Amino acid sequence: MHGDSPSNEVHLRAETLFISDLHLSPERPATVDLFLDFLAVRARQATCLYILGDLFDAWIGDDDETPLNTTVRAALRKLTAAGVNCALMHGNRDFLLGRAFFRDTGCQRCADPTLIQCDSEPTLLMHGDLLCTDDRAYQQFRRQIRNPVVQRLFLWKSLKKRQAMAAEYRRKSGDANAAKPKQIMDVNQETVIDVLRRFGATRLIHGHTHRPADHLLWVDGRQAHRTVLSEWHDGHGEVLVRTSGAWRREPLKTRLP
Ligand code: LP5
Ligand code: MN
């Protein structure tokens, strides 16, 4: 017998999780531990996990088999093998995550932007860097390094050479950021409105700017939301949860052994 009393009901909460900007690197072991714990426990309760870019601090090719990369790949594989759908978007640090990575982990490639329906709410997912159109130097740099020929030439180089080049990019980027006015590294409001209009979306979820907030805006007289995800750092993180028609942010912290 079933269905006679509420106590016999099995409540299956379909949960969708969104994270971004973990910047995993061997120099940040607490954040790596937090992510591995998240994949093994919290993410298992979900139906679907979206990782919206910059999972890694830098990705220089799928053949870079460092202990960190191998461990994270195996942990993602375990999650997808357990039946959780995991969709991964490229960020500006890990846009070279390639076919082998997706095949080995069982993650699905999520284009930037991607439109999904969250309980019939048209929701647009992006990493966020494409929205920072006031940062012209970055957009020009982005166009260059997203050129498939440039990427192919980079991937032909030795791992040692690629590591050195990535470190140089990171250093130059840091110098450039320090010299830029803060406001040009945030999203451009016109660009946000334009992309929401183009996709007919009423919610935009993105990361990249490290300015977590929930913004309310208007697109052609219709209310829309822009949800900015938090970066993870020093063993602290955050996951955006969509369940039972509602949104909430859940803080995450490395558990002490
Ligand atoms: O990364 P973050 O958040 O600090 O800054 C970003 C923008 N910077 C970048 C660069 C990445 O950090 C570099 C990551 C490299 C990892 C993978 C290497 C694979 C290379 C493959 C090549 C095919 O994305 C930063 C933005 C900021 O976000 C905010 O939006 O401002 O943009 C820049 O700093 C770009 C500069 O404005 C212009 C470009 C600098 C020129 C660098 C040339 C170095 C050449 C060295 C060659 C050896
Ligand atoms: Mn980013």
Side-chain angles (χ1 to χ4, degrees):
M1 283 244 300
H2 74 98
D4 287 351
S5 76
S7 61
N8 282 343
E9 281 179 28
V10 177
H11 289 283
L12 284 176
R13 284 186 312 150
E15 276 191 329
T16 304
L17 309 181
F18 302 85
I19 58 174
S20 72
D21 302 282
L22 286 78
H23 306 136
L24 298 179
S25 103
E27 283 91 60
R28 302 192 186 110
T31 306
V32 174
D33 286 350
L34 180 64
F35 181 58
L36 295 175
D37 184 52
F38 169 79
L39 290 183
V41 183
R42 182 62 187 89
R44 294 283 181 105
Q45 300 158 18
T47 316
C48 192
L49 168 66
Y50 284 95
I51 304 175
L52 299 185
D54 287 357
L55 172 61
F56 293 96
D57 197 47
W59 191 264
I60 58 169
D62 292 354
D63 56 338
D64 185 25
E65 291 172 349
T66 61
L68 168 74
N69 295 351
T70 309
T71 306
V72 171
R73 273 161 107 129
L76 282 167
R77 159 55 68 187
K78 271 194 174 171
L79 179 77
T80 57
V84 179
N85 292 313
C86 183
L88 182 69
M89 185 178 279
H90 283 156
N92 59 297
R93 313 269 193 102
D94 55 11
F95 55 87
L96 287 178
L97 285 167
R99 270 196 207 150
F101 180 90
F102 285 95
R103 188 192 57 225
D104 293 352
T105 58
C107 292
Q108 288 152 34
R109 169 90 200 273
C110 182
D112 184 1
T114 285
L115 184 71
I116 61 168
Q117 302 292 329
C118 281
D119 302 312
S120 72
E121 179 182 14
T123 302
L124 196 62
L125 309 178
M126 298 182 77
H127 175 57
D129 57 332
L130 278 170
L131 301 166
C132 300
T133 47
D134 292 332
D135 191 347
R136 286 167 186 268
Y138 170 66
Q139 295 300 336
Q140 192 185 359
F141 174 67
R142 188 183 191 280
R143 279 192 291 276
Q144 286 164 6
I145 58 174
R146 296 301 178 103
N147 180 324
V149 178
V150 172
Q151 294 188 0
R152 185 75 53 87
L153 289 172
F154 179 81
L155 290 170
W156 270 337
K157 295 181 195 299
S158 69
L159 270 173
K160 209 167 160 214
K161 178 83 183 144
R162 280 181 267 158
Q163 273 152 4
M165 285 180 72
E168 183 68 2
Y169 278 131
R170 296 285 304 116
R171 198 180 58 71
K172 288 234 166 71
S173 172
D175 291 351
N177 283 3
K180 285 177 192 176
K182 287 267 176 291
Q183 71 272 17
I184 74 158
M185 289 191 281
D186 201 354
V187 302
N188 173 291
Q189 186 74 353
E190 292 305 312
T191 307
V192 167
I193 291 173
D194 182 58
V195 78
L196 283 166
R197 182 184 290 131
R198 220 155 19 96
F199 283 85
T202 51
R203 183 175 296 268
L204 172 61
I205 301 174
H206 71 85
H208 181 69
T209 60
H210 306 175
R211 300 173 198 218
D214 295 288
H215 301 274
L216 192 62
L217 60 146
W218 295 89
V219 181
D220 304 330
R222 275 207 302 177
Q223 217 179 54
H225 299 263
R226 178 168 70 90
T227 304
V228 189
L229 302 175
S230 291
E231 66 170 318
W232 291 28
H233 60 87
D234 305 320
H236 292 262
E238 193 181 73
V239 54
L240 175 71
V241 184
R242 170 74 184 188
T243 187
S244 311
W247 297 93
R248 70 163 189 276
R249 290 176 187 266
E250 221 173 83
L252 304 165
K253 196 166 171 271
T254 303
R255 286 190 292 180
L256 292 172

